[in-house]
Amino acid sequence: SAVISQKPSRDICQRGTSLTIQCQVDSQVTMMFWYRQQPGQSLTLIATANQGSEATYESGFVIDKFPISRPNLTFSTLTVSNMSPEDSSIYLCSVGSSGTSGRLTDTQYFGPGTRLTVL
Amino acid sequence: AQTVTQSQPEMSVQEAETVTLSCTYDTSESDYYLFWYKQPPSRQMILVIRQEAYKQQNATENRFSVNFQKAAKSFSLKISDSQLGDAAMYFCAYRASGTYKYIFGTGTRLKVLA
């Protein structure tokens, strides 16, 4: 499995500001994902980070609020923009590999998460 | 739409005993994967075990095993010889073959009593 790191591990931010979370993988992976885990709840997929093109967002999530970059096969960032207390969550990066068909062929592995608190 | 249900918000087990966590799911797909992930207080999601739907044999990983009942759409996790380090939140997850999206259950918090 890949070793995944996230920065920062936690942060406390003021309402209206933005925070960029970084995800670094120790090997090249074809697929990277961003999840949100609100307090006491399960994981919800925000978007798929695509290398060299715009991210693919799930229903309820938009690029203006959660811009994502993926400049190469080992790195991605998620920005939480114009934050409000409702954005207080754990944000997790995950990675997986796809075969020649482009389909996810392997299990997703998760980073340690970033705990965000918005005041 | 696919759904994953974990009906036990919290479970407790004595150290060295066995515990079973329940998970049911709903799907119209025939080819899919099922997973159990563990999330300790450190927040790191750790894969415990996975099952391919086309395999009839239940997956096992050391002290962890599953009871996969495809017709009943049930996927329970059995932890044998429970250890204090097993205390965590356990999430059941589903992924249809050919897709990347995981559907997670709401989780079961497992407490291990010394």
Side-chain angles (χ1 to χ4, degrees), chain A residues 14-19 64-65 79-84 87:
Chain A
Q14 294 297 320
R15 180 195 301 261
T17 63
S18 298
L19 175 72
D64 289 346
K65 176 66 177 178
T79 299
V80 186
S81 303
N82 187 25
M83 288 184 284
S84 67
D87 294 320

Side-chain angles (χ1 to χ4, degrees), chain B residues 13-105:
Chain B
V13 62
Q14 287 290 140
E15 198 175 5
E17 296 295 307
T18 295
V19 65
T20 298
L21 309 184
S22 301
C23 174
T24 59
Y25 59 95
D26 189 23
T27 183
S28 58
E29 303 286 338
S30 59
D31 191 11
Y32 51 86
Y33 301 87
L34 296 164
F35 307 84
W36 279 98
Y37 280 90
K38 168 185 175 181
Q39 187 179 42
S42 66
R43 303 194 306 268
Q44 178 81 55
M45 290 281 284
I46 302 165
L47 176 68
V48 175
I49 200 165
R50 80 171 194 173
Q51 174 82 42
E52 290 89 345
Y54 64 85
K55 290 186 178 178
Q56 292 187 332
Q57 187 174 8
N58 290 324
T60 62
E61 286 287 342
N62 301 315
R63 298 183 295 107
F64 299 89
S65 62
V66 298
N67 184 4
F68 174 48
Q69 302 289 327
K70 191 171 184 178
K73 296 180 182 175
S74 171
F75 183 61
S76 61
L77 174 69
K78 185 172 83 171
I79 306 174
S80 304
D81 185 26
S82 297
Q83 301 175 359
L84 294 177
D86 295 333
M89 197 75 167
Y90 286 81
F91 290 98
C92 178
Y94 162 97
R95 178 173 71 80
S97 178
T99 71
Y100 55 82
K101 186 172 181 178
Y102 277 49
I103 308 296
F104 284 89

Side-chain angles (χ1 to χ4, degrees), chain A residues 9-10 33 35 37 42-43 48 58 90 103-104 106-108 110-113 115, chain B residues 33 35 37 39 42-45 47 50 91 95 98-102 104-106:
Chain A
S9 61
R10 60 176 59 222
F33 308 90
Y35 285 83
Q37 185 179 20
S42 188
L43 284 75
T48 303
E58 296 298 309
I90 296 171
R103 296 179 172 181
L104 184 65
D106 203 350
T107 303
Q108 286 186 30
F110 289 81
R115 183 182 293 276
Chain B
Y33 301 87
F35 307 84
Y37 280 90
Q39 187 179 42
S42 66
R43 303 194 306 268
Q44 178 81 55
M45 290 281 284
L47 176 68
R50 80 171 194 173
F91 290 98
R95 178 173 71 80
T99 71
Y100 55 82
K101 186 172 181 178
Y102 277 49
F104 284 89
T106 51

Side-chain angles (χ1 to χ4, degrees), chain A:
Chain A
S1 62
V3 176
I4 307 163
S5 60
Q6 286 185 233
K7 289 182 181 179
S9 61
R10 60 176 59 222
D11 207 342
I12 301 173
C13 301
Q14 294 297 320
R15 180 195 301 261
T17 63
S18 298
L19 175 72
T20 295
I21 302 168
Q22 299 179 2
C23 177
Q24 179 75 54
V25 191
D26 69 341
S27 58
Q28 292 188 344
V29 291
T30 46
M31 307 191 81
M32 296 181 77
F33 308 90
W34 287 98
Y35 285 83
R36 180 175 73 182
Q37 185 179 20
Q38 293 179 301
Q41 296 190 26
S42 188
L43 284 75
T44 302
L45 180 63
I46 297 172
T48 303
N50 301 309
Q51 196 259 332
S53 64
E54 196 170 280
T56 305
Y57 289 84
E58 296 298 309
S59 175
F61 298 96
V62 296
I63 187 171
D64 289 346
K65 176 66 177 178
F66 297 102
I68 289 170
S69 79
R70 187 169 177 199
N72 56 53
L73 292 176
T74 63
F75 185 79
S76 177
T77 66
L78 168 74
T79 299
V80 186
S81 303
N82 187 25
M83 288 184 284
S84 67
E86 291 72 34
D87 294 320
S88 298
S89 290
I90 296 171
Y91 292 86
L92 297 107
C93 167
S94 76
V95 304
S97 295
S98 63
T100 54
S101 67
R103 296 179 172 181
L104 184 65
T105 59
D106 203 350
T107 303
Q108 286 186 30
Y109 296 94
F110 289 81
T114 296
R115 183 182 293 276
L116 170 62
T117 302
V118 184
L119 302 177

